[in-house]
Amino acid sequence: MGNVDLNDIRLFVAVVQAGSFSKAADLANIPKSRLSRRISRLEAELGTALMDRSKRGVLLNEVGEQFYQRAQEMMQAAQTAVNSVQGKLDTPGGLLRLSVSTEVGRGFLMLHLAEYMRRYPDVLLEIEINNKKVNMIQDGIDIALRLGLPEGDNVVARKLTDIELGLFAAESYLQRAGRPKSPHELHGHALLNKYDGPEWRFTCKQHSVHIQGGNKLNSNDANLLGQMVSDGAGIALLPCFDNMLREGWVRLMPEWAVDTVPLYLVYYKNRGSVPTVRSMADFLLEKFGRR
C-alpha cells in the first residue's frame, strides 16, 4: 500500500457519502481545508485523481468509482472486525475458575450451577472445592467464595450473606446421652468442631457463654461433621443450609444465638470488568439477594 494512510481512505469514503467537502468536514469535525489536503495527499500517493470538485459537490471519475467501492468494502470489513472483538469481550465465555469451601459448595453453589451454565453456555467452569486458604494468583483462581472478610488491598470483597449457624445432634445421640438445655451442659457431651470455623459463643438475653468445642473430633470439613452427627457421634455447630440439614437431626437451644459468619465473593480488582468474572459475580449476588 506504499505510504497510503488508511485514515485518508476513511475520509475519502466520508466525502463521497456526504456528497461534498463542506458537509463531510462538518460531520468529521475537521476544517474543510485540512480535509481537502488529506484527499489531495491520497490522490498523490495513488498517482491519480479520484474525483472532480465543484461548487455542486464531488463527482467521482471512473477510477474513483472503483476505488470507492473497494474502500467502502474495506471500511465495512474493518467495522465488522471491530464489532466481532467488542462482541466477544462483552459476552461471557472461556474458562472461569472458582474456589469454594466444602459447605458453601454443597450448601449453596451446587444448587445454582446448572442455571448459570444454561444462562452462559460459552463459559467453561472449573471449580476447586476445599477449605484451604488459596493464593488466587498462584492458583489461577478468578473468584473465591470465602467465610470471613478476606485480607488484601488489591482484591474486591463483596458480601453475599451472613450464614446462620445452629447446634445439631441426632435423635439417636440425644436418647443415649441426654439433651442439653443450656450451653453450660455441653461440657458433658461429645462435641464435633470445625477447627477453621467460628468459636462456640452463645448469647441469650445479654448473657454470653463461650464453649471450647471439639473434645471428640476436629475437622475442617462441615460435611464430615454432618455425617458424624447423622451417625450419632455427637453435637456439632453447623451452617443452616437447607440441603445440608438431614432427617433425624434436632436443633438444640435455638433460643441461644450464635454469631453468624459473613460469606464474601472475592476477585482481584483488575478482573472485575472481565465479562466472565462479572457474570458469575452478578449471578451469585442475584441468588443470595433472593435468599
Side-chain angles (χ1 to χ4, degrees), residues 99 101 128-135 139 146 196 220:
S99 174
S101 63
E128 179 180 298
I129 299 181
N130 59 55
N131 295 323
K132 71 176 183 179
K133 186 176 181 179
V134 298
N135 185 311
D139 297 338
R146 283 295 174 259
D196 59 351
N220 69 337

Side-chain angles (χ1 to χ4, degrees), residues 27-214:
L27 293 174
N29 196 28
I30 62 175
K32 178 182 175 182
S33 58
R34 181 182 173 190
L35 177 60
S36 180
R37 287 196 301 271
R38 296 285 293 271
I39 299 303
S40 296
R41 184 176 71 178
L42 173 64
E43 291 176 321
E45 292 293 342
L46 293 173
T48 182
L50 298 173
M51 62 179 64
D52 297 324
R53 313 180 192 192
S54 68
K55 293 182 180 180
R56 296 181 179 179
V58 297
L59 180 64
L60 294 176
N61 57 33
E62 183 178 354
V63 174
E65 286 281 2
Q66 295 178 354
F67 184 76
Y68 171 69
Q69 295 298 326
R70 299 295 181 266
Q72 190 178 38
E73 292 171 2
M74 182 191 75
M75 297 304 300
Q76 291 173 347
Q79 188 61 55
T80 299
V82 170
N83 292 342
S84 67
V85 172
Q86 291 179 338
K88 188 68 175 179
L89 292 176
D90 291 338
T91 303
L95 178 64
L96 179 66
R97 300 193 71 217
L98 278 74
S99 174
V100 58
S101 63
T102 56
E103 59 266 35
V104 175
R106 177 182 175 184
F108 175 78
L109 184 63
M110 67 169 51
L111 303 179
H112 303 287
L113 281 178
E115 180 182 348
Y116 176 86
M117 294 170 69
R118 288 192 295 268
R119 192 181 297 187
Y120 302 105
D122 294 330
V123 176
L124 170 62
L125 291 173
E126 185 174 308
I127 302 174
E128 179 180 298
I129 299 181
N130 59 55
N131 295 323
K132 71 176 183 179
K133 186 176 181 179
V134 298
N135 185 311
M136 294 180 65
I137 292 180
Q138 292 181 0
D139 297 338
I141 300 299
D142 296 301
I143 290 178
L145 299 183
R146 283 295 174 259
L147 302 176
L149 182 61
E151 300 176 354
D153 296 332
N154 55 347
V155 299
V156 175
R158 305 180 69 177
K159 187 176 179 179
L160 294 175
T161 190
D162 287 308
I163 297 178
E164 180 186 0
L165 300 172
L167 203 62
F168 295 95
E171 186 64 47
S172 60
Y173 172 83
L174 298 176
Q175 291 177 0
R176 183 177 72 253
R179 180 169 182 158
K181 300 295 178 55
S182 74
H184 299 286
E185 297 180 16
L186 291 173
H187 290 293
H189 286 269
L191 305 182
L192 317 174
N193 181 51
K194 191 171 187 294
Y195 62 73
D196 59 351
E199 295 183 336
W200 292 35
R201 190 179 302 277
F202 303 89
T203 304
C204 182
K205 298 178 181 179
Q206 298 182 337
H207 181 56
S208 182
V209 178
H210 177 249
I211 300 296
Q212 186 66 45

